[in-house]
Amino acid sequence: MKIAIILAAGEGKRMKSKKPKVLHEVAGKTVLSYVVDLCTGAQMDKTIVIVGHGEDQVRARFEEEPVEFISQPVGEGKPYGTGYAVSIAADEFEDDDQVLILTGDTPLFTQETIDDFLEFVAEKKLEGCVLTAMVSHPFGYGRIIRGANSNVVAIVEERDATDKEKAITEVNTGIFAFTGRALHSTLNRLETENSQNELYLTDVVKLLVQEGHQIGAYTIGDEEEMLGINSRVQLAKTQAVMRRRINESFMEEGVTITHPEIAQVDYGAKIGRDTIIEGPVHIDGDTVIGEDVYIRGDSRISGSKIGDHVVIESSVIESSTVEEGASIGPFAHLRPNAHLGKNVHIGNFVEVKNSVVGENTKAGHLAYIGDGEVGRGVNIGCGVIFANYNGKEKFRTVVHDHAFIGSNVNLVAPMEVGEGSYIAAGSTITKAVDAGDLAVERSVQKNIPGWKKKQK
Ligand code: UD1
Ligand code: CA
């Protein structure tokens, strides 16, 4: 069997967070989720996550994922360290199993790297193998110590390294493959004689070498893949790499991103060909965007479906659907469950919530469309308000096709406005309007001639 063990029990002290480190997000996806996906991709028979600090939060978040959890007791006086974390899973694998070990805080490894590493281990029939990387700044990582014949003989942590060892630029990425046998024969012999009083997994290497086993090393040249998240600064660095990767993959598929360094497209989003993303646009992972769409300015789109040829400028769109050819903004807000039909225009400072808006309808300026059903070809004037709430309950407003709602009209729900009817500007409408009628609700204007002159 192929078994993966992901170490995720640490507190992540350097994050100074209330939340476990592995639940922080990189491009809209938790750090741990990237690592779990690598194991799924490598077709592991079982993936075990070692949890400890904040384990309830981790378990809850990964309830539906194809992983099993083992709790590492944590707290004062409890043994600690990556070696101890693996040892508590020792009953989960047999001697003949292949065990892949990953740290839960390194989300940037590619599937290709993991697959190539496992292939290398299988080909060479190694008892143990470490994935190493050549880096220009090895600070903080375990250094790979190679012996006379250049075989790996030990791994030394930064805090335990001599100056000479610190100068080594080949580091431990935190990924290992061992046979179950190799782990069973060494884990119970780890010792805490190091600067952190921890049981280091890296010491398994030394013990195996002492027993005459050859430890393999599969080395990658890419420095970015192994970036680990131990602090907020590293979280930002990792996120920058992931965002660049995501943006570049969209560009390769025919999406124009004019400023890739500030466009934030989350993992999982879908964007069609010839769409242009311009400026500090944020697209959440659960969003699907069509072809030839133009999104610019400070826009955020989450949980939404955007059709082809839509134009969006400086607007926020949440959990909504926008059909082909519609234009939105600048400064519009589609709140959850807005559905705009083809060629709808929602302009400056217009808010739409839980409403269906039919084809070719326009609301160009300063309106609120809430709990509405608006037909096709309707004109919603400047400042129109769907008054949908009486302080306790919400009511619906239905506006039939081709109605013309003048500026500054209040439609007090529940309300029905008939097909092709007109509502005069400034009216507060409380009674239904029949098809083809004109509704006017305002007092007669009175002009007082020469009023100014009569003032003192
Ligand atoms: C570790 C390696 C280091 C390597 C680096 C790569 C050791 C001793 N050091 O250092 O050689 O270069 O990763 O990123 O292995 N964890 C547990 N239980 C524990 C302790 C840790 O589950 O008792 C988990 C942590 O939650 C974390 C992972 O193991 O996800 C690594 O622990 P961390 O403390 O971050 O190790 P590093 O100092 O980064
Ligand atoms: Ca780490």
Side-chain angles (χ1 to χ4, degrees):
M1 288 233 288
K2 292 199 288 182
I3 294 174
I5 301 177
I6 304 174
L7 309 183
E11 187 180 357
K13 270 202 196 77
R14 291 164 277 178
M15 293 293 282
K16 305 217 167 78
S17 176
K18 296 185 286 298
K19 186 158 80 170
K21 171 164 75 172
V22 294
L23 291 189
H24 282 262
E25 288 187 2
V26 168
K29 174 169 161 172
T30 64
V31 172
L32 180 57
S33 183
Y34 286 100
V35 184
V36 168
D37 283 357
L38 288 171
C39 297
T40 311
Q43 288 169 341
M44 292 289 136
D45 296 303
K46 184 154 77 169
T47 297
I48 297 164
V49 183
I50 309 293
V51 284
H53 283 282
E55 67 168 297
D56 293 347
Q57 290 177 60
V58 182
R59 283 172 184 264
R61 188 74 183 252
F62 284 78
E63 219 169 31
E64 321 250 285
E65 303 288 321
V67 294
E68 291 173 25
F69 294 98
I70 297 187
S71 298
Q72 175 182 345
V74 285
E76 213 157 314
K78 298 282 191 304
Y80 194 76
T82 48
Y84 177 64
V86 176
S87 76
I88 62 169
D91 291 341
E92 300 293 318
F93 49 83
E94 306 293 328
D95 277 354
D96 289 333
D97 288 339
Q98 183 61 251
V99 185
L100 173 69
I101 300 170
L102 309 96
T103 52
D105 61 352
T106 48
L108 290 176
F109 288 104
T110 63
Q111 193 67 55
E112 197 185 355
T113 294
I114 301 300
D115 292 349
D116 289 352
F117 172 65
L118 290 172
E119 203 176 307
F120 176 85
V121 175
E123 254 172 34
K124 301 240 149 116
K125 299 196 171 54
L126 292 159
E127 285 292 303
C129 188
V130 54
L131 182 67
T132 75
M134 301 304 301
V135 297
S136 39
H137 302 290
F139 180 81
Y141 292 105
R143 306 298 203 282
I144 303 295
I145 313 295
R146 289 182 183 260
N149 53 3
S150 91
N151 281 342
V152 176
V153 292
I155 300 173
V156 179
E157 292 304 294
E158 174 82 35
R159 294 162 75 161
D160 305 306
T162 61
D163 285 346
K164 206 172 151 206
E165 287 165 340
K166 280 182 187 158
I168 296 171
T169 53
E170 184 180 13
V171 299
N172 170 22
T173 64
I175 294 190
F176 293 91
F178 292 108
T179 60
R181 188 177 305 102
L183 290 172
H184 285 145
S185 72
T186 52
L187 286 173
N188 52 5
R189 289 190 283 129
L190 293 176
E191 286 173 5
T192 55
E193 259 128 53
N194 53 59
S195 65
Q196 307 189 84
N197 282 315
E198 289 183 10
L199 295 159
Y200 288 165
L201 177 65
T202 44
D203 286 346
V204 163
V205 168
K206 197 169 58 190
L207 293 173
L208 288 172
V209 169
Q210 278 166 13
E211 281 171 11
H213 293 292
Q214 192 195 321
I215 299 301
Y218 180 82
T219 307
I220 51 171
D222 185 324
E223 297 201 18
E224 284 176 351
E225 276 193 53
M226 63 157 313
L227 284 177
I229 298 171
N230 301 301
S231 66
R232 306 271 179 163
V233 172
Q234 287 174 327
L235 178 67
K237 279 187 182 152
T238 307
Q239 174 136 268
V241 174
M242 189 58 79
R243 292 220 178 280
R244 198 194 63 224
R245 277 191 197 168
I246 292 171
N247 288 347
E248 286 178 358
S249 76
F250 279 117
M251 292 189 265
E252 271 155 27
E253 294 302 317
V255 175
T256 294
I257 302 182
T258 60
H259 302 79
E261 63 290 346
I262 53 169
Q264 303 189 57
V265 184
D266 281 357
Y267 186 93
K270 295 192 174 60
I271 308 177
R273 279 197 307 172
D274 289 317
T275 282
I276 300 174
I277 312 275
E278 183 180 312
V281 172
H282 192 143
I283 297 170
D284 285 356
D286 47 4
T287 291
V288 180
I289 293 172
E291 297 191 359
D292 298 293
V293 173
Y294 185 21
I295 308 171
R296 65 183 303 198
D298 195 351
S299 293
R300 178 169 67 84
I301 305 176
S302 72
S304 296
K305 195 166 179 300
I306 310 293
D308 298 343
H309 299 282
V310 167
V311 176
I312 299 163
E313 175 158 10
S314 303
S315 294
V316 173
I317 300 180
E318 303 165 287
S319 307
S320 290
T321 302
V322 178
E323 290 184 34
E324 207 176 312
S327 63
I328 297 162
F331 316 116
H333 187 182
L334 303 190
R335 287 170 52 208
N337 212 16
H339 187 132
L340 308 188
K342 283 186 191 159
N343 302 323
V344 162
H345 174 59
I346 296 296
N348 308 267
F349 306 103
V350 175
E351 175 178 331
V352 183
K353 183 214 81 175
N354 190 30
S355 295
V356 179
V357 180
E359 228 173 287
N360 295 318
T361 286
K362 292 182 172 47
H365 345 257
L366 301 160
Y368 174 58
I369 301 171
D371 302 312
E373 237 165 84
V374 182
R376 302 163 176 218
V378 171
N379 183 78
I380 309 257
C382 178
V384 169
I385 305 285
F386 284 35
N388 58 335
Y389 186 46
N390 64 4
K392 287 193 200 114
E393 296 161 280
K394 300 219 165 126
F395 299 95
R396 292 195 74 73
T397 295
V398 180
V399 178
H400 291 281
D401 296 351
H402 307 293
F404 185 99
I405 319 290
S407 292
N408 209 21
V409 163
N410 298 305
L411 298 174
V412 181
M415 169 55 56
E416 186 161 0
V417 176
E419 185 171 342
S421 62
Y422 277 70
I423 298 179
S427 302
T428 290
I429 301 298
T430 52
K431 287 184 287 196
V433 180
D434 287 339
D437 287 2
L438 166 68
V440 189
E441 189 285 328
R442 54 193 185 207
S443 49
V444 176
Q445 182 175 335
K446 187 169 145 193
N447 289 4
I448 304 174
W451 182 84
K452 175 86 184 347
K453 269 196 187 149
K454 287 180 207 152
Q455 304 301 307
K456 276 195 257 168

